[in-house]
Amino acid sequence: MTRLFMVLCAALAVLFPAELRAQSEPSISSSLQPNEVEVGEPFTVQLSVTTDASGPSASDPRLVLPDGLRASQPSVSTQTQISFINGRLSRRSGFTATWQVVATREGVYGIASPTAAWNGRRVQANALRVKVHAAGAPGAPGSRRRVPSTANPFDPFGMFPRFPNFFDTPEQEAPQPETQGDPDIALDAPLDPKVFLRSVVDQRNPVVGEQVTLTVFIYQRIGMVEYTDAHEPSLPDFYRRELLQHGVEPETRRVTINGVGWLVKPIFKVALFPLRSGEIDIGPMQLTLNSRTLGLQSAVRASQTIRLHVTEPPAAGRPVGYQLGDVGFYSLSATVDPRTTEVGGAIGVTIVLGGVGNVPNAIRVPQSSALEWLEPHVRENIEVENGKIRGSRTFTYVVRPKTAGSLDLGTVTLPYWSPDRKVYETARASLGKAEVAPKAGAVTKDPTVTHDPWSTLGAPRADLRPFARPREPLTDKPFYWVGLFGLPVAVVVGSLGSRGMKRMRSGLAARRAGAERGIEKALSEARDAKKHGDRMVVAASLDRALYLAIERATGLRARALLLEEVQRALEERQVPADIAAEVGSLLTSIAAFRFAPEGAPDAALLVDQAAAIIRRLGRLSPSGKR
Amino acid sequence: MSRAGRVLFPAALILLMLFFAAPRVHAASEDDMQSLFQKGVVALKEGAVNEAVETFEALADRGFVHPDASFDRALSYLGRVRAGVERPGDLGRAAAALEETLLLRAEDRDAETALELVRAEVARRRARSGSSADVDARPTIDRAVFGFASEWTWSILAAVSALLLTAGLVLRLVAAQMAEAGAGGTLREVPLEAAFHLASTIAVPIGVVCMLVFSVLAAGARELRLTTSDGVVVAPEAHLVTEKGVLTSRGAIPEAAKVELGEQRGALVHVRWGTVEGWTQSDAVRRLARP
């Protein structure tokens, strides 16, 4: 039985070779390299899966990472392996998936087993472990070891196949250091997925005349980028000096932003010296970009505008003679040669002003009536050292002594503001003394020395000639202003007053004329009614005529009064008593004529009486007096 | 003598003495001034420039204002410059004296020429020392406008305008009265009324506008005269400071520059020089004397 079992096993082993048994499970493994990195330093995770070529193939590699690790898309390379062992031919195929992983914080990470799909299920490789140190930490491996693949600027993740000696050497020839900690180019997040410009200044609160270094960087993801149509930033409020040397290619650096590698290169760098105080903008720089790799064609990118808050150096303690803009650190030195000459001769004074900053282009020389300073010859030597403008200006003067004797040439000074020490300082150079001998000959050949500009001055005046003393200004006299405005105002007021009076008078006259007409009309109606025997109309007309006459003579509207009151009211208005009595009597008679015709006076008599009394009333003044 | 008499009599006596003595004192003072002036002239002619400067300055300190005295004072300072014994500010003081001369006698050509020489010398020195050579500045806008003519001229023009306006108003009144009386007027009065009306129509608007403009100019010139005065920088540079005396960076006014002086606060005086305006030490400028 045992023999039979062994025979059967041997027969099966012959009929079903070992490869067939191996086809049942794929060969899968994973690896991690290196297993100790710094934050931001990429490392690779590889998953290799091989299966028998005649069986189902593996696919869909997956890598699940814990928080703190980020991976790129896997780079998958396929492979086929043919072996001929012991006369047997075996053929296996598979793939290798490579992930580039970056840690965003330090720690020890366990990475779950990478998996691949095979025959309807997922097969998994071994689990992995990586230790991540803080960036730049002492003893961290990142500073000593770099992933070789990062040397390839076209493949920062090392996803392309590695070709020996292709991208290994450039790391040595054109170093592109990984500058994680460089604050100039470090960023929390990229400003554009592919390429962008970024302006950086070394300070934002300078004083007038203090150097501000402006650098514009181009950040590009990968590949070659050509740029055209560059527009430099607008800098109208600055004096500028170039810091990038012509013909020297600026260094390209590498920086990791959010775990992704970028190439960074300065394309514009100037030293700016603000010319005024206030809020001053540095305009954007603009480029038109083309890159086949990045899929850019005439893409426009611009850097951001930067606003500087420029102030003046403090007013407190400002030395006399300080010129706004003289900022930096300066020193003065002077040489005088010769120190012995004669009146009208020449003394050479060479003053060298040197230091760090925008070296002032003028200095103040000591003034003296005994010396004449001719226009200086100025030479300058400006250079850049460690990104700072420095240099010197040499002022060569010819000084002409105008008087003989031992002349003190004085001291040359330059007050300036020291931004480092935050104080005013003064550079000085003493010129010492010069011995000046009297002029040997009476006549000098140099007309400029003998020319006396004051020779045309008038002679002293021995007499006090009369002069016209200015009159007292009219404007100091009060009547002037009163007269100035009073005259026209008086005419206007007078005109208005006269016009008003005239209008009042004509109004009164019109009113009088109206009353006169009413009386006449009423009397006329009374006479007509008398002829027709219309008693009521006669009475009414006479009433109206009388009341109008009273109103014209006294202004009294007597119709509102009782008959008995009329006489008294007229007397109160200065109407003579006899007239008042007659008016009262006549009104009573008219009333009687109207309501009790028996015994009443005759209509004709009433009309005559009324006309007579109206005439008498008409002779009275408006106040009622006779 | 009563008590009141005892008090009043001496008082009246003193007043009487003063009344008669005052003109003599004035005459004596005039004589002193004359002799001082002659002393200065003699010193100047003999080349004793320092003594001449002191004499003419003493004359000015006593309130003696005369264009010839100012001119000689300027020559004294320039004499120090010529003799090589110049002191800082001498050119400025000479310029101040010459400006004073021209203020009192505008047609003085010698003073004008000398002033040009002084300013040219200051400009030359400043150019040599690397400073701006500008010594003259444009007048401020208000001074340019109000100073286009004298205050007297503006006031006369304003008065003439007021008279024109008044005449126009009167003519208008007369014409209106004539028109009212038109019905009873003679044929000769009709063209006269039209002429009056036309004259008033022209005179009134012109009078109103001119009176307003010229009275504003007269008032502005008066205000400028009362609140400001002319001065000249008599220091190598008049540095501008804040009201608290702290040096500013608004620039400095060069020596011999004519400035407009305003309010004075303690040792500071407000100055305007073209567009430059601020406070400066009052001893850096000299106020020009007014007659």
Side-chain angles (χ1 to χ4, degrees):
Chain A
M1 182 67 190
T2 304
R3 185 175 293 173
L4 178 63
F5 178 74
M6 290 182 69
V7 169
L8 276 173
C9 285
L12 280 171
V14 171
L15 289 172
F16 303 97
E19 289 78 13
L20 267 183
R21 291 196 303 271
Q23 279 177 1
S24 60
E25 286 297 326
S27 168
I28 183 167
S29 67
S30 62
S31 65
L32 184 148
Q33 181 67 30
N35 52 13
E36 277 192 46
V37 291
E38 288 181 23
V39 172
E41 182 185 2
F43 60 93
T44 53
V45 174
Q46 278 191 337
L47 172 69
S48 297
V49 185
T50 54
T51 58
D52 190 89
S54 58
S57 59
S59 62
D60 189 21
R62 287 184 191 175
L63 176 66
V64 179
L65 294 173
D67 287 344
L69 297 180
R70 294 181 55 188
S72 63
Q73 289 296 314
S75 163
V76 180
S77 60
T78 56
Q79 52 192 299
T80 303
Q81 184 182 0
I82 300 171
S83 54
F84 192 79
I85 302 168
N86 296 327
R88 291 176 191 270
L89 179 71
S90 66
R91 199 160 60 95
R92 295 183 67 82
S93 63
F95 64 86
T96 301
T98 307
W99 289 270
Q100 199 75 26
V101 184
V102 173
T104 55
R105 60 172 184 264
E106 60 184 310
V108 178
Y109 295 90
I111 299 173
S113 309
T115 59
W118 179 78
N119 199 22
R121 63 187 177 93
R122 297 203 70 80
V123 291
Q124 59 181 32
N126 53 303
L128 301 168
R129 184 172 172 277
V130 65
K131 188 173 184 181
V132 180
H133 299 271
S143 56
R144 303 185 304 272
R145 183 185 60 249
R146 294 284 168 212
V147 179
S149 61
T150 57
N152 182 355
F154 302 101
D155 183 18
F157 277 121
M159 290 150 65
F160 293 174
R162 291 179 192 163
F163 299 101
N165 302 324
F166 251 68
F167 289 108
D168 296 342
T169 49
E171 191 174 13
Q172 296 156 3
E173 290 173 3
Q176 297 166 356
E178 186 88 20
T179 46
Q180 295 281 13
D182 189 340
D184 281 354
I185 59 173
L187 275 177
D188 293 333
L191 308 180
D192 185 275
K194 295 175 180 173
V195 60
F196 59 91
L197 301 183
R198 179 170 168 253
S199 293
V200 175
V201 290
D202 61 344
Q203 60 165 326
R204 286 176 186 264
N205 297 297
V207 297
V208 176
E210 185 178 359
Q211 179 176 336
V212 177
T213 303
L214 166 69
T215 312
V216 181
F217 293 102
I218 182 167
Y219 287 67
Q220 61 190 79
R221 180 70 181 79
I222 53 168
M224 297 291 289
V225 175
E226 290 179 359
Y227 46 87
T228 57
D229 194 21
H231 295 271
E232 291 188 352
S234 167
L235 304 163
D237 294 314
F238 298 92
Y239 173 73
R240 58 181 263 190
R241 278 193 178 271
E242 297 293 333
L243 294 178
L244 288 180
Q245 293 179 344
H246 288 289
V248 177
E249 184 68 14
E251 178 195 25
T252 301
R253 288 182 282 176
R254 294 183 55 80
V255 66
T256 302
I257 303 171
N258 269 350
V260 178
W262 289 78
L263 302 177
V264 186
K265 189 170 81 169
I267 54 171
F268 182 80
K269 189 171 186 180
V270 287
L272 302 177
F273 298 92
L275 298 174
R276 65 171 179 86
S277 57
E279 303 292 330
I280 303 180
D281 287 342
I282 295 175
M285 181 171 187
Q286 187 174 301
L287 290 181
T288 303
L289 305 167
N290 294 302
S291 173
R292 191 178 296 175
T293 320
L294 296 172
L296 298 174
Q297 189 167 7
S298 298
V300 177
R301 295 287 188 275
S303 63
Q304 79 281 18
T305 298
I306 294 179
R307 173 160 290 185
L308 301 184
H309 177 66
V310 183
T311 55
E312 289 187 7
R318 183 176 289 177
V320 173
Y322 172 76
Q323 295 290 316
L324 192 64
D326 289 352
V327 175
F329 177 76
Y330 302 108
S331 63
L332 278 169
S333 62
T335 54
V336 179
D337 186 51
R339 288 191 179 272
T340 307
T341 184
E342 61 179 12
V343 173
I347 300 171
V349 177
T350 304
I351 301 166
V352 180
L353 168 64
V356 180
N358 185 24
V359 183
N361 55 14
I363 53 173
R364 296 167 74 84
V365 294
Q367 288 296 320
S368 163
S369 58
L371 297 167
E372 182 185 15
W373 291 73
L374 303 185
E375 288 295 326
H377 173 68
V378 184
R379 283 181 290 116
E380 70 169 26
N381 177 28
I382 306 296
E383 57 192 18
V384 180
E385 187 177 299
N386 295 329
K388 292 285 182 186
I389 297 294
R390 62 173 300 138
S392 66
R393 275 202 168 88
T394 305
F395 303 83
T396 307
Y397 290 91
V398 172
V399 180
R400 288 206 160 126
K402 294 196 277 189
T403 57
S406 179
L407 299 182
D408 186 357
L409 299 177
T411 303
V412 184
T413 58
L414 178 79
Y416 63 90
W417 170 254
S418 171
D420 297 335
R421 299 181 58 200
K422 306 285 184 203
V423 290
Y424 286 103
E425 294 180 339
T426 302
R428 295 173 194 279
S430 176
L431 302 178
K433 289 191 172 184
E435 298 299 327
V436 181
K439 184 76 176 170
V443 179
T444 175
K445 290 178 183 174
D446 190 345
T448 60
V449 176
T450 55
H451 175 66
D452 181 7
W454 308 110
S455 58
T456 54
L457 282 178
R461 293 173 182 173
D463 299 318
L464 294 170
R465 292 179 292 155
F467 70 102
R469 290 181 183 274
R471 288 166 291 182
E472 188 189 352
L474 274 177
T475 50
D476 281 353
K477 297 186 165 106
F479 77 79
Y480 172 78
W481 296 104
V482 172
L484 193 70
F485 294 102
L487 269 177
V489 169
V491 172
V492 171
V493 169
S495 163
L496 290 176
S498 146
R499 198 173 290 177
M501 286 292 289
K502 200 178 282 178
R503 194 169 292 171
M504 200 169 75
R505 273 190 210 141
S506 63
L508 281 172
R511 206 167 141 192
R512 258 181 109 80
E516 201 72 45
R517 277 198 301 275
I519 293 165
E520 291 297 329
K521 191 179 173 189
L523 281 175
S524 174
E525 284 174 2
R527 285 187 187 108
D528 286 348
K530 181 191 75 180
K531 284 178 191 166
H532 293 101
D534 192 345
R535 196 179 70 248
M536 296 303 285
V537 174
V538 169
S541 299
L542 289 177
D543 253 356
R544 195 165 73 247
L546 262 179
Y547 284 126
L548 281 172
I550 291 168
E551 188 176 347
R552 183 190 64 184
T554 64
L556 175 67
R557 291 174 187 253
R559 196 184 290 276
L561 303 176
L562 296 174
L563 285 177
E564 304 83 56
E565 296 171 347
V566 172
Q567 185 179 346
R568 189 162 44 86
L570 287 173
E571 285 171 358
E572 285 173 357
R573 279 172 173 72
Q574 312 291 318
V575 174
D578 55 334
I579 297 175
E582 279 185 41
V583 170
S585 162
L586 184 57
L587 285 172
T588 310
S589 300
I590 292 169
F593 176 73
R594 179 184 294 170
F595 300 112
E598 304 82 24
D602 178 45
L605 182 65
L606 281 177
V607 171
D608 291 342
Q609 281 180 345
I613 199 75
I614 285 168
R615 271 197 301 278
R616 291 178 70 188
L617 281 169
R619 283 196 287 271
L620 296 176
S621 68
S623 63
K625 289 182 182 172
R626 199 189 299 258
Chain B
M1 192 182 283
S2 67
R3 187 179 173 184
R6 282 200 301 273
V7 175
L8 287 175
F9 180 70
L13 205 63
I14 290 168
L15 281 175
L16 211 61
M17 286 168 68
L18 283 175
F19 179 75
F20 285 108
R24 294 187 180 204
V25 170
H26 181 70
S29 169
E30 282 288 323
D31 288 346
D32 284 351
M33 300 287 191
Q34 281 283 355
S35 63
L36 205 57
F37 172 74
Q38 290 303 331
K39 188 183 166 192
V41 171
V42 170
L44 187 57
K45 283 182 175 173
E46 289 176 352
V49 284
N50 283 327
E51 188 188 334
V53 164
E54 285 170 14
T55 307
F56 286 118
E57 282 293 353
L59 207 56
D61 289 344
R62 293 182 191 186
F64 184 71
V65 179
H66 194 284
D68 293 325
S70 298
F71 184 80
D72 283 352
R73 194 172 81 231
L75 290 189
S76 307
Y77 282 115
L78 294 178
R80 289 211 303 212
V81 175
R82 295 176 79 176
V85 290
E86 177 187 350
R87 294 179 193 171
D90 273 2
L91 284 174
R93 289 188 191 91
L98 292 168
E99 285 282 8
E100 213 167 87
T101 307
L102 288 169
L103 195 67
L104 300 169
R105 191 187 281 144
E107 69 283 1
D108 196 325
R109 294 285 157 251
D110 283 349
E112 207 173 304
T113 308
L115 186 59
E116 283 173 10
L117 286 175
V118 170
R119 295 230 163 96
E121 175 64 14
V122 171
R124 192 178 65 84
R125 291 186 183 187
R126 288 178 62 79
R128 294 264 159 97
S129 65
S131 306
S132 164
D134 292 333
V135 181
D136 291 314
R138 288 182 183 174
T140 49
I141 183 72
D142 51 350
R143 188 160 279 268
V145 171
F146 298 136
F148 186 74
S150 69
E151 185 184 344
W152 185 269
T153 308
W154 294 137
S155 57
I156 290 290
L157 286 172
V160 169
S161 307
L163 286 175
L164 181 68
L165 172 62
T166 309
L169 291 170
V170 169
L171 285 176
R172 178 166 290 240
L173 279 179
V174 172
Q177 282 176 359
M178 290 172 83
E180 280 177 13
T186 62
L187 283 175
R188 282 182 65 187
E189 285 174 338
V190 174
L192 196 61
E193 177 218 326
F196 282 179
H197 192 268
L198 179 66
S200 72
T201 306
I202 295 168
V204 169
I206 292 176
V208 167
V209 171
C210 288
M211 196 187 84
L212 286 176
V213 170
F214 291 131
S215 58
V216 165
L217 288 169
R222 179 175 184 271
E223 179 68 14
L224 210 59
R225 171 172 56 80
L226 295 177
T227 56
T228 67
S229 61
D230 291 326
V232 172
V233 175
V234 293
E237 272 186 340
H239 293 280
L240 294 182
V241 297
T242 64
E243 287 180 62
K244 294 179 179 176
V246 179
L247 203 63
T248 68
S249 60
R250 277 177 284 177
I253 306 174
E255 185 176 10
K258 189 178 180 184
V259 295
E260 185 184 312
L261 303 179
E263 186 187 354
Q264 179 143 7
R265 289 188 195 163
L268 297 179
V269 63
H270 189 263
V271 291
R272 290 205 297 175
W273 182 62
T275 55
V276 178
E277 187 172 352
W279 296 83
T280 192
Q281 297 293 331
S282 55
D283 57 0
V285 289
R286 179 167 184 148
R287 206 177 281 269
L288 300 187
R290 280 179 178 163

